[in-house]
Amino acid sequence: MNSILPPSRYRASTPYSQDRDQAVISADPVKTALMRRYEVQYLDQDGSVAARSAIAPATAPFEAAFSAFARGTLIQTADGPCAIEDIVPGMRIETKEYGPLPMLWRGMMNIIPNTPTDRPEQAQLTRIMAGTFGLGRPGSDLVLGPAARMPRRGHIEGFVPIRHFADGDSVVQTSPPSPVQVFHLCLPQQATIRANGLPIASYHPRFGLGETMGPQMLKLFLSLFPHVEALNEFGPALHRDASRQVNLLEDVAI
């Protein structure tokens, strides 16, 4: 099922990406808004796996929900490592804080080179060489998207964007030469999962997001998460659980 903003409010010009993944949406001759296609899989009310495709704004709050793990990333599940693109809702993901938790939602979008953006970092990937942060961290070369967040000692929230670890040597930011699929995962609550052995936070919209969006935009945002009806149904964010965060940072933070 597709979802798109009402055509009465926007007029789309010819998309600039071959696969029509992104388009420039024009409300007037001067101001334009970038839109993109998002793909989601989720657990339906009856427990079956459902899928949805939607066109929504290509802004940081939306893209952050879809752009943490590049295709091919191995996520540790209860049954062993599994490529991110092969994980389906209902599979149990190993977490540092809570043990195995069911994956409720998986989002995907494409990062397309040379597309207009006012935030260039949103179009970059971060490549981490094997063993950069210690034995098995990561266990093999790992490519992460701009929304990936990793624990860091001394940071007020515990987790920081992966690009903050870039050193130009073993952690390098790159612009993909061709379109790259990137993904993110939702669990019943935010937790630390393992990507090629490296600790990365599962998705959480973070507090205050509803205050920065108008009612209609928030409704559109939540439509991309059919397994919830309100922001508070994403469960607690890790950095709000101080006792667990201390234990986490002692064990996995860089």
Side-chain angles (χ1 to χ4, degrees), residues 59-199:
T59 59
F62 282 81
E63 292 184 347
F66 291 81
S67 58
F69 307 102
R71 183 181 181 87
T73 300
L74 295 178
I75 302 297
Q76 188 66 35
T77 75
D79 297 316
C82 183
I84 183 75
E85 63 270 20
D86 295 330
I87 293 179
V88 295
M91 292 179 65
R92 298 181 70 80
I93 308 298
E94 289 288 352
T95 72
K96 171 60 184 175
E97 299 81 9
Y98 311 106
L101 289 178
M103 189 190 78
L104 304 180
W105 176 97
R106 189 196 74 186
M108 188 278 288
M109 71 178 209
N110 284 318
I111 291 182
I112 301 174
N114 304 316
T115 55
T117 177
D118 57 355
R119 298 189 62 183
E121 69 273 14
Q122 292 299 112
Q124 289 190 313
L125 302 173
T126 301
R127 178 177 292 276
I128 306 171
M129 306 305 174
T132 293
F133 298 107
L135 184 63
R137 300 169 63 178
S140 57
D141 288 2
L142 173 64
V143 178
L144 295 173
R149 299 174 68 84
M150 192 164 70
R152 187 171 203 170
R153 290 189 181 93
H155 192 271
I156 188 171
E157 291 187 0
F159 290 84
V160 299
I162 196 65
R163 65 179 181 273
H164 291 184
F165 294 87
D167 58 10
D169 183 17
S170 56
V171 182
V172 181
Q173 287 200 277
T174 64
S175 296
S178 59
V180 175
Q181 287 183 333
V182 286
F183 302 79
H184 219 331
L185 306 178
C186 272
L187 306 175
Q189 58 197 87
Q190 191 180 36
T192 307
I193 62 182
R194 295 280 180 174
N196 290 29
L198 205 63

Side-chain angles (χ1 to χ4, degrees), residues 172-248:
V172 181
Q173 287 200 277
T174 64
S175 296
S178 59
V180 175
Q181 287 183 333
V182 286
F183 302 79
H184 219 331
L185 306 178
C186 272
L187 306 175
Q189 58 197 87
Q190 191 180 36
T192 307
I193 62 182
R194 295 280 180 174
N196 290 29
L198 205 63
I200 303 293
S202 66
Y203 178 69
H204 193 281
R206 308 180 73 195
F207 297 94
L209 180 64
E211 300 172 5
T212 64
M213 291 183 177
Q216 292 305 312
M217 192 62 70
L218 180 59
K219 182 178 180 180
L220 177 60
F221 178 81
L222 287 173
S223 74
L224 299 176
F225 302 89
H227 68 294
V228 301
E229 295 182 355
L231 290 176
N232 61 7
E233 293 183 16
F234 284 94
L238 277 176
H239 72 268
R240 289 299 183 96
D241 190 338
S243 62
R244 287 190 181 275
Q245 178 176 302
V246 169
N247 294 332
L248 169 70

